[in-house]
Amino acid sequence: INAEYGARSGFPEMAISAAYGGPLFNMVFGLGMSVSYANAVSYPHPLCVSPVTSQTATAFLFLSISLLASLIVVSSTSFVIRKWWGGALVLLYIAATACGLLAEFGILSFNLPGDEPPA
């Protein structure tokens, strides 16, 4: 909303900066804080990062599908987002969430080395 307000007020450079800078700051700050906390809790032992699990593979799969499909659909519709495509992305999000939960509870498994049986 702030980026759109800046663009309509005659500051397109500020709008572009806000569109990129806001999410980038949130990602870097949020990831930095959580990793710093994890390091502080695990000190003096090193922070162990788990290998790829079925949940990670499921998230990557759905992310890849949605980005590739959006690239194809949006470019084929002259870069106009149609209502039906928004609905399709919402359905894809619901499917990704359901598959992520199934992978988390061990029902959906790709038999990856990092997968462990649920406790």
Side-chain angles (χ1 to χ4, degrees):
I1 294 174
N2 284 337
E4 182 180 349
Y5 179 73
R8 290 179 191 245
S9 298
F11 301 106
E13 294 88 3
M14 186 187 310
I16 292 171
S17 298
Y20 284 104
L24 181 65
F25 172 77
N26 291 339
M27 186 172 49
V28 169
F29 186 74
L31 187 61
M33 291 296 291
S34 60
V35 170
S36 296
Y37 174 75
N39 275 323
V41 169
S42 68
Y43 183 80
H45 303 291
L47 180 64
C48 295
V49 178
S50 62
V52 176
T53 62
S54 289
Q55 186 179 11
T56 310
T58 303
F60 182 74
L61 176 73
F62 276 99
L63 177 66
S64 300
I65 289 170
S66 65
L67 288 176
L68 275 169
S70 292
L71 178 69
I72 293 168
V73 170
V74 172
S75 63
S76 68
T77 58
S78 300
F79 297 95
V80 175
I81 309 294
R82 307 280 184 206
K83 186 182 272 188
W84 64 268
W85 184 241
L89 287 176
V90 168
L91 290 175
L92 188 64
Y93 173 75
I94 292 170
T97 303
C99 288
L101 287 171
L102 291 174
E104 177 65 26
F105 293 122
I107 299 169
L108 176 66
S109 178
F110 297 116
N111 296 324
L112 297 171
D115 285 338
E116 299 174 2

